[in-house]
Amino acid sequence: MRAVIVAIGVAFLISLLCTPIAIKVFTRLKAGQPIRAEGPAMHQTKKGTPTMGGVVFILATVIAYVAGHLALTTLPDAQIAQVEPTMTALVLLGLMVFSGAVGFIDDFLKVRKRHSGGLNKRGKLAGQILVGAIFGIVALYFPSRMYDVTGARTNAETVGSTTLSFIREIPALEIGKVASVIVIILVVMAATNGVNLTDGLDGLATGASVMVLAAYALIAFWQYRHWCADPNYTEAYCYTVRDPLEIALIAGAAAGACVGFLWWNTSPARIFMGDTGALGLGGLIAGMAMSTRTILLLPIIGGLFVIITMSVVIQIISFRTTGKRVFRMSPLQHHFELAGWSEVNIVVRFWIIAGIGVAIALGLFYSEFLAAVT
């Protein structure tokens, strides 16, 4: 637990203190956010606000992960677990960093062209598929030794699973490695685009991501406390995930980094996360669902992202089939802007929706545990 708290604190402080430096640097580099001409008129006042702020909290998460591991080395031997970096960390941080890199290319092109177009849809899609495929293959084809709570090595396990999962793996839904890699690619694409579409108002995607990542930190730590690899855990009911303490540490670090960034990103935002941050967070959230074996629970945990993504899908289908729009503008947050809601009202109310999704998911997760042990 100490390592997780250290990681959260370090990530928060780095993000809080370094974001103003990033604001100055990106301002000097004239890395301002281009605003779509067809977007809400009130957004034109945000033109020129520094973007690519996601670089700060991605780096903060990586540094905090290292700090968390240094904290692990100070624990008594009986409590040491996963002191060495693991395959799980490679996959999770890799998904975050390289998905963020795809977003960085998009942001860089926007800034360079002084246009909101950036990387074309095919290029962005290809990048997402490539990142998902690489780390999906690593997660499923490269098992590595994992450590129990005493630091002893156990049997080799993979980060991902070839069985679809809800609260845990569903034995009847064994799909094999190839199909599982495809599923991981689809989850990465869905999560990255979901967070990216949500990132349209000051602090909206950042705050929602904090809730989702905090939920995964709780889930992973609970799995760690009831871990099948723990020789001290005597209950028949346990979780077979790999490196749950690693997952909790990284999720907590990312949540802490986002809270520090939110200080500067809340309305009126002094910096935007850009596609760098949105795709990075989406990649990490996809990795969390895969590594905690809760892939089918993700649509509930990330309920706000699903709702906003579906508003875009509905709008496109309706316009192409009937020539009519269901919403004044999509994604959904812009519909309410044009309906007269203030930006702060939309953000807070959407945060409430995100919180409800997280609460329902955590309730389902815990209730499944209670049903199994009673």
Side-chain angles (χ1 to χ4, degrees):
M1 185 65 176
R2 183 191 303 177
V4 177
I5 294 174
V6 168
I8 293 171
V10 169
F12 170 74
L13 289 175
I14 291 175
S15 192
L16 180 68
L17 299 177
C18 292
T19 300
I21 299 173
I23 293 172
K24 293 179 181 179
V25 171
F26 290 139
T27 299
R28 288 177 183 175
L29 294 175
K30 298 181 179 180
Q33 175 70 47
I35 304 297
R36 292 186 304 165
E38 64 273 18
M42 61 282 289
H43 283 207
Q44 295 304 316
T45 60
K46 301 181 181 184
K47 187 175 182 180
T49 301
T51 187
M52 294 189 281
V55 169
V56 178
F57 59 71
I58 290 174
L59 289 176
T61 301
V62 175
I63 294 171
Y65 168 75
V66 176
H69 268 260
L70 292 176
L72 278 175
T73 62
T74 67
L75 295 175
D77 289 342
Q79 298 179 39
I80 292 178
Q82 307 161 317
V83 173
E84 297 178 7
T86 63
M87 187 69 75
T88 301
L90 172 66
V91 171
L92 293 179
L93 294 177
L95 282 169
M96 186 181 199
V97 171
F98 285 94
S99 293
V102 174
F104 182 84
I105 295 171
D106 186 40
D107 287 332
F108 177 79
L109 292 176
K110 289 177 183 177
V111 170
R112 185 177 181 182
K113 297 176 181 178
R114 295 289 187 267
H115 188 270
S116 61
L119 188 65
N120 61 45
K121 293 180 180 179
R122 289 184 179 179
K124 189 181 292 186
L125 185 64
Q128 293 168 339
I129 292 173
L130 181 62
V131 171
I134 290 173
F135 289 99
I137 290 171
V138 171
L140 289 164
Y141 284 85
F142 293 90
S144 63
R145 295 282 181 181
M146 62 181 185
Y147 298 81
D148 64 26
V149 294
T150 66
R153 289 193 172 193
T154 63
N155 294 330
E157 297 285 347
T158 57
V159 178
S161 172
T162 58
T163 303
L164 293 182
S165 54
F166 182 54
I167 304 299
R168 59 177 63 246
E169 293 175 344
I170 305 171
L173 297 181
E174 166 71 38
I175 59 176
K177 289 185 177 180
V178 174
S180 295
V181 171
I182 294 173
V183 168
I184 292 172
I185 292 172
L186 293 175
V187 172
V188 169
M189 291 170 58
T192 51
N193 285 307
V195 178
N196 197 24
L197 290 171
T198 304
D199 182 33
L201 300 180
D202 296 350
L204 177 56
T206 310
S209 296
V210 168
M211 297 181 207
V212 171
L213 290 166
Y216 276 118
L218 290 172
I219 287 172
F221 192 75
W222 183 264
Q223 291 174 332
Y224 172 65
R225 298 292 293 178
H226 304 84
W227 191 22
C228 293
D230 183 353
N232 299 317
Y233 188 70
T234 57
E235 297 289 340
Y237 184 90
C238 60
Y239 298 93
T240 57
V241 300
R242 259 196 61 97
D243 310 319
L245 186 60
E246 287 279 83
I247 302 169
L249 193 153
I250 293 171
C258 285
V259 172
F261 182 76
L262 185 60
W263 183 272
W264 306 101
N265 181 236
T266 192
S267 183
R270 293 185 56 188
I271 188 170
F272 299 138
M273 70 165 69
D275 280 24
T276 305
L279 298 191
L281 288 174
L284 178 59
I285 289 170
M288 289 290 159
M290 171 190 65
S291 59
T292 58
R293 314 289 168 91
T294 56
I295 282 181
L296 298 179
L297 190 65
L298 176 58
I300 301 175
I301 295 180
L304 178 65
F305 303 140
V306 174
I307 292 170
I308 289 177
T309 301
M310 289 307 300
S311 73
V312 176
V313 173
I314 291 169
Q315 186 86 321
I316 292 173
I317 292 175
S318 176
F319 187 74
R320 290 184 177 178
T321 56
T322 68
K324 297 180 180 179
R325 293 180 172 85
V326 176
F327 308 103
R328 290 180 172 90
M329 181 179 290
S330 66
L332 188 61
Q333 60 268 32
H334 299 318
H335 167 83
F336 289 105
E337 277 191 290
L338 296 181
W341 290 23
S342 71
E343 182 170 8
V344 173
N345 276 343
I346 297 169
V347 170
V348 172
R349 288 168 180 170
F350 276 37
W351 280 352
I352 292 172
I353 294 172
I356 291 172
V358 165
I360 292 172
L362 290 176
L364 290 171
F365 181 84
Y366 186 61
S367 63
E368 191 267 352
F369 176 82
L370 289 179
V373 298
T374 57

